Amino acid sequence: AAASSGGLVAYADSGSDAAVEKPQLPQRKKVIVLGTGWGGTTFLRNLDTRLYDVQVISPRNYFAFTPLLPSVTSGTVEPRSIVEPIRRILEKKGGEIKFWEAECFKIDPQNKKIHCRSNLGTNLDGNGEFLVDYDYLVVAVGARTNTFNTPGVVENCHFLKEVEDAQKIRRSVMDCFERASLPFLDEEERKKNLHFVVVGGGPTGVEFAASLHDFVTEDLSKLYPSIQHLVKISLIEAADHILTMFDKRITNFAEDKFGRDGIDVKTGYKVVKVSKDAITMQNPATGDISVPYGMAVWSTGIGTRPFIVEFMKQIGQGNRRVLATDEWLRVRECDGVYAIGDCATINQRRVMEDISEIFRVADKDKSGTLTVKEIQDVLDDIYVRYPQVQLYLKSKQMNGVADLVRSAKGDAEKESVELNIEEFKKALSLVDSQVKFLPATAQVASQQGQYLARCFNKMKDAEEHPEGPIRIRGEGRHRFLPFRYRHLGQFAPLGGEQTAAQLPGDWISIGHSTQWLWYSVYATKQISWRTRMLVVSDWTRRFIFGRDSSC
Ligand code: FAD
Ligand code: MG
Ligand code: MG
Ligand code: MG
Ligand code: MG
């Protein structure tokens, strides 16, 4: 009954009697998608779902636009404006995709099955568990917050990962202000309640601190005039600077701006314990210090989900910290399993592992040496397969192969321009140091989801053309290129309608105009017209009436 729209009906499970007359359609392979975040949702939206029997499993029946979560904490944007029900997304795809609100707790790659559990109902055994089998499994379950086992964090700190977290933070900020206003508190206790601590000076922690500061100075100070001077925001970072993943200019600007805003940026401090009333941090110079606080948000990084850790042990990745895939996003040694987004990392193939093979392919005339031209001919393919080579040449300011050859030969032998295998190895011996790990961002997860969907849409072609260690010109037209990340830039909203942006080519832009760029980019990136409308109207409402402080 679900399959209603036109052409798709033909693919639905055929009724028993009519089956004989219908043209025999090949059995569609089962694709199971775990997770409805950035990776999973982008994969689904780009997948040709007529080709597969698609099932989606996630404990969350909606997609959340995480970059706007910090705005939810201050009420700039409403929670419902940044979520899109997954069933609405699936409906647009033709309505025959199955969704189950459940979480996967075990992957069984030998039998190609996953174990799931729903807490919405129970089966005959009295639990909510069920088994699902797959031909292809797309793991897009994201990461968990990492507390580094710091005592008291789970019990006493807020995280900022899910929509519920943002709502809780907002309520907690309001509670702190109301508590600090109670008649029977003394000054010390009011101060304690109005001390907001953010642990972690990465993009999320910084943006949250900035948006909290805006909320306090622009809205709450008017509503709580008698206690507003007691408010303090601290940002604690273990490294020497905040926003270390950004250009130095952005880091400096952010630190200066926070300084002027009165946000206490404590760099070089490591939080070692959190109790109900105080946060204890450590600095080599000062030793342990404990500060009372009213509310704390923990945002120091991400870790691997426990069931993924178990899965990694099963498939011989027990010694790794993050699930590794190859550049086609396939989990190695694990037929039919793919992983994208924050739950996985690409294990970039090293040039030095394949150096003999590369040499053999490049040496077209089988002379046992490579000329500049021979290397030149395979260079584009090498760049695609091993992006670190291009990064290396750039970092050494080499203008291509001639420079590379010269570097291997040494100046003395400039005339001889052929490399033997040893010299070729020497020339490329340092390139693998340029291997880059991709950041855990929505940008990476969604590009991976899109890439993988395209691969799935062309899977038939590709099965007949499996890929080799390097793509050889003229061969394998249907073969997929490895996944390649295109960095479109990154924003760091700093409050007061000012944002910093680091755009491709190390373009830096900071200030009010960048804030407008931010507004337009995030309006554009919304997943539907409905959420786009809601977000823009939230922003407009905020401009006119300020933030809503009722909770
Ligand atoms: P997620 O989006 O986290 O999705 C994981 C999905 O898996 C969820 O639906 C979850 O419910 C589901 N799941 C969990 N466990 C299971 C299970 N056992 N079985 C089945 N399903 C499961 N990135 C940017 O690029 N720009 C930004 O401005 C930005 N801002 C951010 C702000 C905040 C506050 C946060 C928290 C993150 C931000 N990010 C940003 C990072 C970005 O959100 C993540 O990198 C991205 O969500 C990763 O996508 P994912 O699909 O891997 O995981
Ligand atoms: Mg996902
Ligand atoms: Mg998400
Ligand atoms: Mg990743
Ligand atoms: Mg040769």
Side-chain angles (χ1 to χ4, degrees):
S4 53
S5 55
L8 297 179
V9 178
Y11 289 90
D13 288 347
S14 47
S16 51
D17 44 349
V20 197
E21 278 108 277
K22 279 196 182 148
Q24 205 58 54
L25 283 165
Q27 185 71 40
R28 289 180 310 160
K29 295 237 166 110
K30 275 192 184 146
V31 176
I32 310 293
V33 181
L34 294 182
T36 52
W38 277 100
T41 304
T42 316
F43 173 76
L44 285 166
R45 292 174 76 206
N46 288 280
L47 184 68
D48 184 348
T49 47
R50 292 166 308 180
L51 302 175
Y52 297 98
D53 174 4
V54 185
Q55 307 177 24
V56 184
I57 299 168
S58 173
R60 217 173 66 185
N61 70 353
Y62 57 83
F63 165 81
F65 193 87
T66 50
L68 291 180
L69 277 179
S71 308
V72 172
T73 63
S74 58
T76 306
V77 169
E78 291 300 323
R80 71 192 162 92
S81 308
I82 66 160
V83 304
E84 183 73 5
I86 191 69
R87 289 187 184 275
R88 206 192 285 257
I89 295 168
L90 299 180
E91 184 205 359
K92 288 190 189 135
K93 304 273 338 179
E96 59 163 338
I97 303 167
K98 298 184 196 87
F99 171 76
W100 286 305
E101 185 171 316
E103 72 175 7
C104 168
F105 66 92
K106 186 174 188 260
I107 299 172
D108 177 358
Q110 269 88 43
N111 301 307
K112 291 197 148 193
K113 280 185 199 315
I114 55 166
H115 297 246
C116 302
R117 184 188 299 127
S118 163
N119 51 22
L120 296 176
T122 52
N123 56 23
L124 291 176
D125 295 337
N127 57 39
E129 294 179 10
F130 56 96
L131 275 172
V132 182
D133 48 38
Y134 64 83
D135 295 305
Y136 301 112
L137 178 66
V138 177
V139 184
V141 295
R144 63 174 176 83
T145 318
N146 201 347
T147 65
F148 302 98
N149 295 323
T150 312
V153 172
V154 174
E155 297 84 350
N156 300 302
C157 292
H158 287 275
F159 299 122
L160 180 49
K161 195 99 182 44
E162 305 286 339
V163 179
E164 291 86 6
D165 298 334
Q167 287 172 296
K168 273 191 217 149
I169 289 173
R170 183 176 172 194
R171 215 166 301 135
S172 174
V173 171
M174 298 317 303
D175 285 350
C176 286
F177 272 85
E178 289 303 347
R179 207 175 300 125
S181 308
L182 288 172
F184 49 80
L185 291 196
D186 64 22
E187 181 96 345
E188 272 315 298
E189 282 175 295
R190 288 189 216 284
K191 261 194 180 157
K192 167 182 176 296
N193 271 297
L194 293 174
H195 186 203
F196 300 96
V197 178
V198 184
V199 186
T204 302
V206 166
E207 187 180 350
F208 170 68
S211 80
L212 179 63
H213 178 263
D214 282 358
F215 189 25
V216 169
T217 52
E218 292 166 17
D219 302 274
L220 296 178
S221 60
K222 296 185 200 118
L223 304 177
Y224 300 86
S226 62
I227 53 169
Q228 54 130 323
H229 63 286
L230 300 174
V231 178
K232 182 176 173 189
I233 300 172
S234 300
L235 178 63
I236 305 172
E237 165 59 51
D240 293 337
H241 290 284
I242 60 171
L243 294 179
T244 47
M245 62 294 296
F246 281 92
D247 188 277
K248 200 91 203 75
R249 283 166 284 175
I250 292 181
T251 301
N252 291 341
F253 182 87
E255 288 176 355
D256 290 348
K257 178 170 190 306
F258 278 12
R260 286 195 304 277
D261 288 346
I263 298 174
D264 185 14
V265 180
K266 278 197 155 27
T267 52
Y269 281 90
K270 185 169 172 251
V271 172
V272 290
K273 197 178 102 193
V274 184
S275 69
K276 203 168 142 292
D277 300 301
I279 286 192
T280 308
M281 50 187 143
Q282 228 171 39
N283 172 302
T286 60
D288 281 12
I289 54 169
S290 276
V291 288
Y293 73 98
M295 189 197 86
V297 172
W298 187 271
S299 165
T300 57
I302 56 173
T304 304
R305 294 190 187 280
F307 88 100
I308 297 290
V309 173
E310 283 307 310
F311 174 54
M312 289 165 66
K313 282 184 197 150
Q314 281 180 62
I315 59 171
Q317 291 196 15
N319 57 345
R320 302 187 58 101
R321 285 197 307 147
V322 186
L323 179 63
T325 70
D326 63 16
E327 299 91 329
W328 288 268
L329 311 180
R330 302 173 299 193
V331 177
R332 293 212 170 130
E333 315 294 334
C334 208
D335 182 44
V337 183
Y338 299 76
I340 57 179
D342 287 2
C343 68
T345 178
I346 295 174
N347 202 358
Q348 176 62 50
R349 187 94 188 158
R350 308 285 150 146
V351 167
M352 292 323 273
E353 285 172 36
D354 298 339
I355 193 91
S356 312
E357 173 70 3
I358 298 171
F359 189 90
R360 194 185 57 74
V361 171
D363 187 15
K364 282 248 172 55
D365 62 0
K366 308 281 170 240
S367 64
T369 55
L370 296 184
T371 61
V372 169
K373 179 160 185 318
E374 277 176 326
I375 302 176
Q376 194 72 57
D377 283 346
V378 292
L379 197 62
D380 285 341
D381 296 338
I382 291 178
Y383 282 171
V384 170
R385 187 66 187 86
Y386 311 94
Q388 63 265 43
V389 174
Q390 199 165 13
L391 293 174
Y392 176 77
L393 294 187
K394 212 171 132 195
S395 77
K396 292 278 176 239
Q397 287 165 352
M398 289 187 183
N399 276 323
V401 178
D403 281 357
L404 189 70
V405 169
R406 216 168 293 134
S407 80
K409 282 287 188 186
D411 280 343
E413 290 179 77
K414 249 181 210 156
E415 321 77 48
S416 156
V417 285
E418 299 209 5
L419 297 184
N420 62 32
I421 178 82
E422 286 315 317
E423 289 162 332
F424 188 57
K425 273 186 193 165
K426 188 175 158 225
L428 295 176
S429 61
L430 295 175
V431 295
D432 288 327
S433 66
Q434 294 289 324
V435 167
K436 294 264 186 298
F437 289 100
L438 298 179
T441 60
Q443 219 178 115
V444 170
S446 61
Q447 285 183 26
Q448 291 183 334
Q450 191 172 31
Y451 165 86
L452 194 61
R454 288 207 190 115
C455 294
F456 270 66
N457 295 344
K458 294 186 297 183
M459 186 90 85
K460 267 236 134 31
D461 279 349
E463 265 165 5
E464 290 134 34
H465 304 271
E467 56 284 316
I470 68 170
R471 192 173 65 107
I472 300 155
R473 197 179 293 274
E475 259 188 54
R477 229 169 305 120
H478 301 291
R479 189 182 289 168
F480 308 132
L481 297 180
F483 170 74
R484 243 183 140 176
Y485 172 57
R486 280 161 293 122
H487 185 61
L488 304 175
Q490 199 177 357
F491 287 107
L494 300 171
E497 296 294 304
Q498 297 206 60
T499 286
Q502 186 162 344
L503 302 167
D506 278 337
W507 247 82
I508 304 293
S509 117
I510 306 177
H512 296 285
S513 55
T514 317
Q515 177 75 31
W516 285 99
L517 182 64
W518 183 89
Y519 281 126
S520 63
V521 166
Y522 282 131
T524 320
K525 295 245 181 243
Q526 290 302 315
I527 199 162
S528 72
W529 279 101
R530 190 187 63 87
T531 56
R532 189 168 302 134
M533 282 273 299
L534 289 172
V535 162
V536 171
S537 80
D538 285 349
W539 286 334
T540 314
R541 176 180 47 74
R542 206 279 287 163
F543 269 109
I544 302 172
F545 301 110
R547 296 173 185 82
D548 186 2
S549 61
S550 60
C551 241

